[in-house]
């Protein structure tokens, strides 16, 4: 009898584990809305992502929580607008090698949520949520980490700064030795400067190794490529191959890596047990001309709250679970935490304000998305709000490279369904809508007034 009870208990554990899907998030850096074949790019070849989109769901109205790296990543991992956890700052745009702060330990990441159900959790790639030991992935719910802790253009060596200034210079044919960025394993530096020429291939290999090592139990793998953020690097096999130039080479290598990861999942018979999401942290860095990506039909790019800064090309893939097709419903990286929690049968944090919606029903049945609004924050300021098809801007930053913020005395209203490029302001003909959306902005500002203080401003004291 005792054996039978033990057997049944074990069986129910195995069953529970079987119902818990694996999660893989493949996150790019500064990839544009118009950079993938399946999102309309005519010259960059992305056959693996195109296949992923064909077998899965292409989401065309998917948003990141902020148009730059650090706050966007905080939003994805915590399901909270970065203003709430002090990760959106008026003083410093992102974390730098001299930053003393990080994502506060009291914040709950997707990895920590899934740990409640004993998920194995691994992070590979760019982190950018604090590089000091107490802020690294292994202090935020991940069992292991392999990657570059901040942006690949940081720790620039003395004398190489000029490379950034003009277009016709070595910056456009970057030398990996000019960026003294560390490559880390858990909390140890294992290579410095990291050889960025081979970094995409090495991240891919690490991801595959991680999946193979953890195939017997549920896992969450966060694979955050440090490219195509400038400076651009590709391994020899890809360099000089794309007619789009070096940027195309870089993306074609990332696409190859996505193909390898998905094939590994298929080969291990995990495809029906795994949910893979492909997306990016913000739009293209347009100041770098052909070394930056393309936002396609969207206005502006990285650093702005126009669609080009925050609407990102997104693919969900889970054969047998998600019916294939294009989804024009609204979604956000803020929604990944509650969505994964729902699939894993676990609860997210209930002791704080959360900003994500559970998209599981929309993913499985193409039902209407529970997300009907989105707030566009950057540098600790609320710039715009979207409700249904309508987007109202009260502030904006037009420049392609972090230009001045312009406060609009007269708010601008766009219909994103009929005017994807935010070209035609219709505020004059819709005063009642302007009033309603202004009220939403006021309400959201009041709701975020109790946010944590700025975590980005503090610097490591110089001796
Ligand atoms: Mg970025």
């Amino acid at each position: 009898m005792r054996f039978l009870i033990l057997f049944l208990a074990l069986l129910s554990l195995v069953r529970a584990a079987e119902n818990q899907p694996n999660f893989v998030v493949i996150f790019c850096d500064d990839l544009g809305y118009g950079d993938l074949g399946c999102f309309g790019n005519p010259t960059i070849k992305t056959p693996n992502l195109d296949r992923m989109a064909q077998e899965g769901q292409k989401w065309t109205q998917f948003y990141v929580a902020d148009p730059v790296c650090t706050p966007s990543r905080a939003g994805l991992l915590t399901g909270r607008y970065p203003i709430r956890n002090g990760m959106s700052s008026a003083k410093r745009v992102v974390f730098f090698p001299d930053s003393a702060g990080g994502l506060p330990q009291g914040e709950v990441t997707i990895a920590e949520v899934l740990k409640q159900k004993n998920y194995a959790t691994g992070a590979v790639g760019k982190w950018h949520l604090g590089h000091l030991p107490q802020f690294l992935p292994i202090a935020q719910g991940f069992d292991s980490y392999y990657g570059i802790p901040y942006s690949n253009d940081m720790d620039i060596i003395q004398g190489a700064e000029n490379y950034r200034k003009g277009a016709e210079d070595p910056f456009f044919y970057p030398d990996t030795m000019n960026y003294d960025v560390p490559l880390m394993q858990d909390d140890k530096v294992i290579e410095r400067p990291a050889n960025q020429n081979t970094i995409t291939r090495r991240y891919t290999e690490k991801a595959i190794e991680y999946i193979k090592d953890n195939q017997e139990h549920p896992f969450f793998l966060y694979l955050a490529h440090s490219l195509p953020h400038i400076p651009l690097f590709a391994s020899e096999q890809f360099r000089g191959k794309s007619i789009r130039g070096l940027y195309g080479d870089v993306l074609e290598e990332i696409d190859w890596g996505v193909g390898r990861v998905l094939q590994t999942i298929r080969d291990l018979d995990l495809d029906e047990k795994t949910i893979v999401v492909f997306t990016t942290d913000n739009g293209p860095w347009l100041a770098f001309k052909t070394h930056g990506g393309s936002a396609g039909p969207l206005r502006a790019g990285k650093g702005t709250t126009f669609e080009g800064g925050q609407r990102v090309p997104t693919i969900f893939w889970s054969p047998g679970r998600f019916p294939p097709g294009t989804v024009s419903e609204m979604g956000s990286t803020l929604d990944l935490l509650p969505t994964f929690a729902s699939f894993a049968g676990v609860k997210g944090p209930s002791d704080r304000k959360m900003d994500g919606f559970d998209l599981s029903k929309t993913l499985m049945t193409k039902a209407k998305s529970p997300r009907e609004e989105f707030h566009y924050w950057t540098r600790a300021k609320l710039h715009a709000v979207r409700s249904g098809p309508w987007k109202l801007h009260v502030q904006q930053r037009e420049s392609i490279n972090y230009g001045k913020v312009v406060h609009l005395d007269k708010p601008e209203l766009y219909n994103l369904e009929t005017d994807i490029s935010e070209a035609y302001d219709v505020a004059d003909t819709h005063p009642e809508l302007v009033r309603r959306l202004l009220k939403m902005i006021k309400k959201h500002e009041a709701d975020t007034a109790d946010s944590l203080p700025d975590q980005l401003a503090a610097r490591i004291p110089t001796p």
Side-chain angles (χ1 to χ4, degrees):
M1 187 64 186
R2 219 185 274 166
F3 283 115
L4 184 66
I5 290 169
L6 191 67
F7 175 75
L8 287 174
L10 274 174
L11 193 70
S12 75
L13 266 180
V14 169
R15 286 237 170 97
E18 270 179 359
N19 288 333
Q20 284 161 14
N22 308 309
F23 303 102
V24 179
V25 172
I26 307 177
F27 204 41
C28 285
D29 197 343
D30 296 4
L31 172 76
Y33 190 80
D35 284 331
L36 309 181
C38 51
F39 276 79
N41 192 288
T43 51
I44 302 174
K45 292 197 172 82
T46 54
N48 294 292
L49 284 157
D50 300 351
R51 179 180 169 189
M52 183 185 178
Q54 209 155 40
E55 295 173 357
Q57 290 178 5
K58 180 170 90 167
W59 282 57
T60 59
Q61 309 213 47
F62 201 83
Y63 291 95
V64 284
D66 193 285
V68 291
C69 298
T70 293
S72 170
R73 284 151 208 268
L76 183 150
L77 285 173
T78 65
R80 278 150 62 78
Y81 281 112
I83 190 70
R84 295 205 195 275
N85 36 41
M87 300 298 281
S88 183
S89 162
K91 297 204 174 96
R92 285 193 113 180
V93 62
V94 294
F95 285 124
F96 290 88
D98 68 345
S99 291
L103 179 70
Q105 285 101 335
E107 288 297 305
V108 181
T109 66
I110 295 178
E112 286 163 327
V113 168
L114 295 173
K115 271 286 167 210
Q116 296 172 81
K117 285 268 165 120
N118 295 319
Y119 270 68
T121 53
V124 174
K126 174 171 166 176
W127 180 239
H128 218 182
L129 292 171
H131 70 284
L132 298 181
Q134 65 272 31
F135 300 120
L136 286 169
I138 54 168
Q140 302 278 21
F142 289 96
D143 303 325
S144 61
Y145 174 55
Y146 174 90
I148 296 176
Y150 34 72
S151 294
N152 69 331
D153 64 335
M154 293 179 177
D155 290 323
I156 194 162
I157 62 153
Q158 237 186 352
E161 300 92 333
N162 289 336
Y163 296 172
R164 294 191 60 129
K165 289 183 182 146
E168 311 307 320
D169 61 35
F171 187 77
F172 273 41
Y173 298 92
D175 181 346
T176 191
M177 297 305 285
N178 285 336
Y179 305 88
D180 194 34
V181 288
L183 178 67
M184 302 188 78
Q185 175 78 58
D186 300 329
D187 55 357
K188 307 267 182 309
V189 175
I190 55 168
E191 185 179 303
R192 190 165 195 167
N195 181 352
Q196 297 198 51
N197 293 313
T198 54
I199 204 71
T200 298
R201 181 168 58 71
R202 289 192 284 167
Y203 287 161
T204 300
E205 282 162 3
K206 276 283 168 194
I208 289 169
E209 187 186 304
Y210 185 84
I211 294 167
K212 285 184 176 164
D213 287 350
N214 290 284
Q215 57 180 295
E216 302 295 342
H217 47 84
F219 63 83
F220 167 47
L221 171 64
Y222 176 62
L223 167 55
H225 283 290
S226 35
L227 292 162
H229 189 289
I230 56 89
L232 300 174
F233 299 101
S235 59
E236 225 181 301
Q237 194 193 336
F238 289 90
R239 224 175 151 129
K241 296 284 157 65
S242 171
I243 56 168
R244 167 66 169 80
L246 184 52
Y247 186 85
D249 297 340
V250 171
L251 268 202
E252 290 179 11
E253 185 162 18
I254 289 173
D255 176 76
W256 163 86
V258 171
R260 292 276 323 274
V261 167
L262 295 188
Q263 195 52 47
T264 303
I265 291 170
R266 286 188 200 98
D267 291 346
L268 297 173
D269 245 344
L270 295 175
D271 45 342
E272 292 191 358
K273 290 184 196 157
T274 305
I275 292 170
V276 185
V277 187
F278 176 92
T279 189
T280 180
D281 68 336
N282 52 252
W285 203 347
L286 300 174
F288 289 97
K289 301 176 185 170
T290 60
H291 270 218
S294 160
L298 307 180
R299 182 166 168 182
K302 174 178 178 171
T304 80
T305 48
F306 286 105
E307 295 296 288
Q310 290 193 250
R311 196 195 287 205
V312 287
T314 302
I315 305 167
F316 283 87
W317 182 89
S318 190
R321 192 186 311 263
F322 300 160
T326 298
V327 175
S328 306
E329 293 292 319
M330 221 192 296
S332 168
T333 47
L334 293 166
D335 304 330
L336 295 183
L337 185 147
T339 303
F340 289 2
S342 165
F343 280 119
V346 65
K347 292 246 178 306
S350 56
D351 61 345
R352 61 198 70 201
K353 288 174 184 165
M354 300 295 289
D355 297 300
F357 292 91
D358 174 4
L359 301 178
S360 58
K361 224 173 136 194
T362 310
L363 285 160
M364 289 192 299
T365 65
K366 296 192 180 167
K368 198 168 164 35
S369 171
R371 176 172 288 285
E372 291 177 344
E373 60 184 57
F374 184 79
H375 295 94
Y376 300 72
W377 283 91
T378 191
R379 305 296 303 268
K381 286 273 183 296
L382 183 54
H383 279 205
V385 66
R386 176 172 178 179
S387 171
W390 300 101
K391 178 174 176 183
L392 187 81
H393 293 253
V394 289
Q395 307 190 67
Q396 58 192 212
R397 179 190 251 144
E398 179 71 76
S399 163
I400 54 173
N401 195 25
Y402 306 124
K404 258 173 82 178
V405 172
V406 183
H407 179 84
L408 302 169
D409 292 330
K410 205 173 141 300
E412 292 175 9
L413 182 72
Y414 298 97
N415 182 327
L416 295 175
E417 282 174 4
T418 55
D419 176 21
I420 191 174
S421 307
E422 296 169 274
Y424 310 110
D425 173 15
V426 292
D428 280 346
T429 48
H430 295 81
E432 73 300 336
L433 266 172
V434 172
R435 273 195 296 277
R436 179 167 75 78
L437 293 172
L438 279 174
K439 256 190 211 157
M440 282 177 72
I441 284 181
K442 284 267 165 307
K443 197 173 154 210
H444 188 65
E445 277 173 340
D447 186 56
T448 48
D450 59 352
S451 296
L452 293 183
D454 186 338
Q455 307 289 315
L456 270 66
R459 292 174 201 235
I460 299 167
T462 42

